[in-house]
Each structure stands twice: as C-alpha cells, then as structure tokens.
Amino acid sequence: FEQMEPTIATIHETLGEIVFGGEDEELEHAVVRELKRKNVRLAIADAGTGGLIAELLDDVPEAEAYLAGAVVTKNARAMRALLEIDEALVEQEGWMSERLVRAMAEACRERLGCDYALAVIDLPAEAQQGEKPRSLFALAGAGETIVRSGPHVGGASLRRIRCAKQAMNLVRLALLRGD
C-alpha cells in the first residue's frame, strides 16, 4: 500500500472532489462518512428511485444514526399529503417542477426534524410532456435549498440507479463544501 500512496495522492490532487473513495467504497459509503463527519441527519423524499437511495444508504454500517427516514411514493397525491405540500403548487407548476422538488425537500426536512432533506422527482419520459426528460433533485439545509436537474440516460432500470447516484452525490458535495 505504501508504494501506491504517491499515485493515490496524485489522483486526489488531480481529480479533487470527483474522487469519493477507494477500494470497495461506493458513493453511499462516502455520503454516510460525510454525514458522520458533520454529525448531521438526512431525510429523503423520493418520487424517483422507488426507495433505492434509502436502501443503498441503509446498507452502509452506522447509517441508521444519520438517516432520519424516507417518504417514498410516485403518487403525487400521497406525497402532497405526507409532506403537507400546498395543492395549489402542484396545480400551478405540475408534478415535474423545480418549485415542487424544493418544497418537497423543505417540507421533508421540517416534518422529519433533521439537518438535511433530499428530494428527488423522476418521471418517465412520456409523463414529461413537451420537455426534455430529466430528473430533479433538491437538498434542503438550514441555510439554503440547492436544486439541480439531470438528463435521462438509458432505460428505466439504468435511469433509476443513475438518479439515485446523482442525488447522493448532491448530498456528498454539499457536505464537503459546507453548503
């Protein structure tokens, strides 16, 4: 291992925050490590991966101490009811809107009483009328809510995994940067 240290240092120096771990470590391990380092808890409002984000994070040892819970549904009415989101917002903006994913993250953070809440919306391309298919992500913290989007790539199963990884990386980067 000592012989590899200069190469590992060069990789980290060159690629910076793109590198999240080594050996068998996956992105979910890096997220839990950052939650632990900051001693903060995360909740999830998932209308995109069918609970995959919570499942991946929950498989990491010690994760239960840093996960406040998850609300998982693709049903707009259920998500609105569970998070008490204003029905007028969904009527005005539609189910695939940045304002809605922001509201989901902020409501989830408040309802579950945690430091951060991650919200994800990912609808099939045919449900996103007239727009380029994309996934929406929001991370609500005490200071601000970060909203991002990502394009659809591949079939449904690949898209689900990619959506989960993009969402987890949003959390990882925000915690690294101190957002």
Side-chain angles (χ1 to χ4, degrees), residues 27-36 39-45 51-71 108 112-118 139 168 171 175:
L27 186 54
E28 52 269 27
H29 296 95
V31 170
V32 171
R33 182 182 65 238
E34 290 303 314
L35 291 168
K36 182 178 179 178
N39 193 30
V40 293
R41 292 173 21 103
L42 174 71
I44 303 162
L52 182 60
I53 298 166
E55 180 182 335
L56 290 169
L57 291 171
D58 189 52
D59 285 344
V60 177
E62 299 183 311
E64 68 278 354
Y66 306 100
L67 296 177
V71 176
C108 186
L112 275 71
C114 57
D115 304 287
Y116 291 91
L118 173 67
L139 181 65
M168 287 189 296
V171 174
L175 292 172

Side-chain angles (χ1 to χ4, degrees), residues 1-11 23:
F1 186 75
E2 285 181 28
Q3 294 172 337
M4 292 180 61
E5 284 183 21
T7 302
I8 292 170
T10 301
I11 290 169
E23 296 184 29

Side-chain angles (χ1 to χ4, degrees), residues 5-19:
E5 284 183 21
T7 302
I8 292 170
T10 301
I11 290 169
H12 282 271
E13 188 177 301
T14 304
L15 298 177
E17 64 188 20
I18 293 173
V19 178

Side-chain angles (χ1 to χ4, degrees), residues 66-115:
Y66 306 100
L67 296 177
V71 176
V72 180
T73 181
K74 284 239 186 191
N75 181 296
R77 179 173 288 141
M79 187 65 77
R80 271 196 334 256
L82 291 167
L83 296 178
E84 299 178 10
I85 294 172
D86 184 11
E87 191 171 336
L89 175 63
V90 179
E91 288 176 13
Q92 292 168 359
E93 299 283 327
W95 182 233
M96 198 67 196
S97 79
E98 290 183 10
R99 283 185 60 208
L100 178 59
V101 77
R102 175 186 299 274
M104 286 170 52
E106 291 170 352
C108 186
R109 181 178 176 271
E110 181 181 313
R111 303 285 180 283
L112 275 71
C114 57
D115 304 287

